[in-house]
Amino acid sequence: MLCALLVRRSPDLSLPIDMLVWALLAASTGLTLARQWRAGALLLVLCLLAALLMGRLSPLALSLVVMGLTLAGNLHRLPVSCRPAARGLVLLWALALMLHQLPGFENLKMLDKVQAGPASVPFSLYLNLDKPLALFGLLLAWRDLLGPGGLIRWRPLLLLTLPLVGLLLTAWGVGALKPEVGLPSWWWLFSLNNLLLTCVSEEALFRGCLQQRLSERFTPLKGLLIASGLFGMAHLAGGPLLVGFAALAGLCYGLAFHWSGRLSIAIAVHFLFNFAHLALFTYPLASR
């Protein structure tokens, strides 16, 4: 009974047959994060073929994806003098995927102008095919993308709860959010999409790639700050307030990566923060 009371009403979801594409992509992502390389690669190939057959991926888009993955996978075979430029091309390719700038992708709209609750702003949810593919190219180009591992510093990790809760309360204080406890009926779709198709690709770029490379070039502190600032700037379309909040949240995700040595921990912190936002406050913003 309590669970039923906490689930907000929303339109029923029908699952289209071409959702198989995203099921394969999500499974491939999960296996890749678990370092099951061959199984992950096989499911990725099946995902791309299914997307092509179902009209979600054009031959041009497939060619661009294959070219990017091929370049990333063969970086180690290039002359040392050519590798920085090649890695730059892979990074631009990944950015183009994440910003939806490569042509030929037909992302699937699953929710159209729905409200998480009566006080929330309507929003639409897409299952993106292009953005999640960035993970695979980045991982081929930077083999240490998943983190160095090592001892996990659990105490500071748990203390990250405090600034993240503070961010949500501050957003409430400035009127961007309002308390709205409960989950919409499509919470499971939001969770799978946000965890495996959004947080993974964003953390792969900003923490696994940029933070690690910047930390090597400068210092861990500078790498953390610059990567967090870039993460904030990636939210520029949402306005300066969102840029600031995203940069501060990115700082917490970066610390989670630094203190754990694992990209999976940064992904989990990122997802749990987003899920708490959905479950406890208006999502994505409060209606005026």
Side-chain angles (χ1 to χ4, degrees), residues 33 35 143-154 157 207-208 212-213 216 254-266:
L33 291 175
R35 301 178 189 267
R143 304 298 173 88
D144 63 348
L145 192 82
L146 300 184
L151 183 67
I152 298 177
R153 298 171 61 184
W154 288 110
L157 276 176
R207 256 56 69 178
Q212 287 200 99
R213 301 289 77 79
E216 291 170 357
L255 287 171
F257 180 65
H258 177 69
W259 286 329
S260 68
R262 291 162 175 81
L263 186 68
S264 57
I265 298 294

Side-chain angles (χ1 to χ4, degrees), residues 31-255:
L31 287 168
T32 299
L33 291 175
R35 301 178 189 267
Q36 301 298 313
W37 313 120
R38 291 184 179 180
L42 175 60
L43 289 185
L44 179 63
V45 170
L46 293 176
C47 164
L48 294 174
L49 290 176
L52 182 66
L53 291 174
M54 294 180 182
R56 293 290 174 179
L57 186 70
S58 73
L60 172 61
L62 179 60
S63 299
L64 293 172
V65 169
V66 171
M67 288 171 60
L69 292 175
T70 301
L71 176 60
N74 288 279
L75 280 174
H76 65 286
R77 297 177 180 172
L78 296 175
V80 175
S81 60
C82 297
R83 291 178 189 176
R87 285 197 172 93
L89 287 175
V90 172
L91 187 57
L92 289 174
W93 170 85
L95 284 170
L97 284 170
M98 295 185 69
L99 296 173
H100 314 297
Q101 294 302 304
L102 291 187
F105 290 88
E106 186 65 31
N107 294 319
L108 179 62
K109 181 187 284 188
M110 291 297 295
L111 300 174
D112 186 19
K113 296 179 181 178
V114 298
Q115 287 180 275
S120 295
V121 169
F123 84 109
S124 298
L125 185 147
Y126 286 85
L127 297 182
N128 291 316
L129 178 59
D130 44 5
K131 183 175 181 177
L133 294 176
L135 164 72
F136 302 96
L138 293 172
L139 184 56
L140 287 170
W142 288 277
R143 304 298 173 88
D144 63 348
L145 192 82
L146 300 184
L151 183 67
I152 298 177
R153 298 171 61 184
W154 288 110
R155 180 173 294 180
L157 276 176
L158 292 173
L159 289 176
L160 283 176
T161 305
L162 298 177
L164 288 171
V165 169
L167 278 176
L168 291 173
L169 295 177
T170 301
W172 175 19
V174 299
L177 302 179
K178 295 178 182 177
E180 193 168 56
V181 179
L183 290 170
S185 62
W186 39 264
W187 67 269
W188 60 272
L189 179 64
F190 169 90
S191 298
L192 291 173
N193 176 68
N194 195 260
L195 175 60
L196 294 173
L197 303 183
T198 300
C199 293
V200 167
S201 56
E202 292 181 357
E203 292 307 303
L205 175 61
F206 290 99
R207 256 56 69 178
C209 180
L210 294 179
Q211 183 173 321
Q212 287 200 99
R213 301 289 77 79
L214 290 165
S215 295
E216 291 170 357
R217 185 173 180 83
F218 303 108
T219 65
L221 177 59
K222 288 183 179 179
L224 171 67
L225 294 175
I226 296 172
S228 301
L230 291 173
F231 182 70
M233 293 303 296
H235 295 77
L236 190 60
L241 186 62
L242 181 58
V243 169
F245 276 101
L248 292 173
L251 192 63
C252 294
Y253 309 152
L255 287 171

